[in-house]
Amino acid sequence: MTLEPISPALAQRIVDRTEIPGDDWHPEYPFVDELDPLRSLARSTAPHPVFTMYLVRRSSDGLAVGGLGFFGPPDSNGRVELGYGLVPGARGAGLAKQAVGLALRMARDAGATVAAADTEADNLASRRVLAANGFLEVARRGGLVLVERPLGEL
């Protein structure tokens, strides 16, 4: 599994579904909830080099099977938030766990000190991915579970 940074031009192609040779997107990618962040990235003239959006690319066949993104650079406390998702056919193989782990190391190496995420309380698979990467529940809001983890001990 690799994380491939999404440039503004690539973000626009993904939104438009204008695939060119080498893009190799899974037919179910992107997710509907990724479209607004991708549109925002497509309009960006200077995206952050690390705290941006990434394609999750499966090594076995080279397909882009999901996305992972940071909701901006770390705040004044060093806290950064991330989100991710995989197409249904790519789930259950450990790719999300690997992608989140790699993203955490990238965030730490770029100066973040705390990572945060949230997931639906009934999304047990996502909660397992986050727990496997050291996230602990810090709060609940409605049906969301909010989790955090320090990045110093990766």
Side-chain angles (χ1 to χ4, degrees):
M1 180 284 319
T2 60
L3 292 179
E4 180 182 314
I6 300 175
S7 68
L10 177 55
Q12 189 63 58
R13 284 203 331 271
I14 294 169
V15 168
D16 295 342
R17 290 295 300 172
T18 309
E19 192 169 357
I20 62 173
D23 283 340
D24 300 322
W25 304 323
H26 189 282
E28 296 174 282
Y29 181 79
F31 301 107
V32 172
D33 62 353
E34 255 182 303
L35 292 174
D36 283 341
L38 284 165
R39 285 183 189 106
S40 178
L41 178 57
R43 291 187 302 270
S44 176
T45 57
H48 195 282
V50 175
F51 300 105
T52 188
M53 296 181 72
Y54 295 84
L55 290 172
V56 176
R57 193 168 294 280
R58 189 167 50 197
S59 298
S60 64
D61 58 8
L63 276 182
V65 294
L68 182 142
F70 293 98
F71 293 87
D75 66 16
S76 61
N77 296 318
R79 183 178 182 273
V80 67
E81 187 173 351
L82 62 93
Y84 61 91
L86 297 178
V87 300
R91 296 174 186 161
L95 295 175
K97 178 183 172 188
Q98 291 174 44
V100 170
L102 180 55
L104 293 175
R105 289 188 295 281
M106 291 168 40
R108 179 204 56 206
D109 293 349
T113 58
V114 176
D118 62 55
T119 189
E120 298 288 334
D122 62 356
N123 188 341
L124 299 180
S126 183
R127 291 177 63 191
R128 282 192 297 271
V129 165
L130 294 167
N133 277 288
F135 284 87
L136 298 174
E137 183 175 334
V138 294
R140 288 192 182 221
R141 279 195 204 117
L144 287 180
V145 176
L146 293 90
V147 296
E148 288 187 358
R149 72 147 297 148
L151 296 177
E153 67 229 27
L154 289 174

